Amino acid sequence: MSFRLFATVAVTCLFSHAAIAQDAPAADPAAPVKEKKICRLVVPTGTIMGKRMCLTKAEWAKLNGQYEKQNQAFRDNQNRGGQLTQ
C-alpha cells in the first residue's frame, strides 16, 4: 500500500513539474538587455604593441567624442601659431 502511494506521488510530481515548466515565460521582459561589446585593437602613440579594448557602442561613441575634442583643440592651437594657452 505505501509503495503504491509513493509511486502515485512521484508520478504526480513529475507531471506537475513538466506542466509548470511549460507555463513559465521564456525570458523576463523586465530584465535589462545586456549590450553587446565591440572589441577593437588600440595602439597607443610610441608603441607598436596594441591593446584590445572591448566597449559597448555607447562607450565607443563617448570615447570617440573625447578624442575628437582633443584633436580639435590641437588643430585650433596650431591655427593660432602654436601658442600654448592654459
Side-chain angles (χ1 to χ4, degrees), residues 54-74:
C54 297
L55 303 172
T56 63
K57 188 175 183 178
E59 291 169 333
W60 278 117
K62 182 178 178 183
L63 188 63
N64 288 336
Q66 291 173 350
Y67 288 155
E68 186 57 38
K69 282 174 72 174
Q70 290 173 351
N71 289 339
Q72 186 61 44
F74 179 78

Side-chain angles (χ1 to χ4, degrees), residues 14-76:
L14 278 172
F15 286 118
S16 65
H17 178 68
I20 291 171
Q22 287 178 346
D23 293 340
D28 185 15
V33 177
K34 190 173 182 179
E35 287 191 54
K36 184 178 177 183
K37 299 271 184 169
I38 302 168
C39 297
R40 295 181 184 167
L41 185 66
V42 178
V43 183
T45 302
T47 183
I48 60 171
M49 298 296 296
K51 184 175 122 180
R52 186 175 177 192
M53 289 181 63
C54 297
L55 303 172
T56 63
K57 188 175 183 178
E59 291 169 333
W60 278 117
K62 182 178 178 183
L63 188 63
N64 288 336
Q66 291 173 350
Y67 288 155
E68 186 57 38
K69 282 174 72 174
Q70 290 173 351
N71 289 339
Q72 186 61 44
F74 179 78
R75 287 190 297 268
D76 290 344

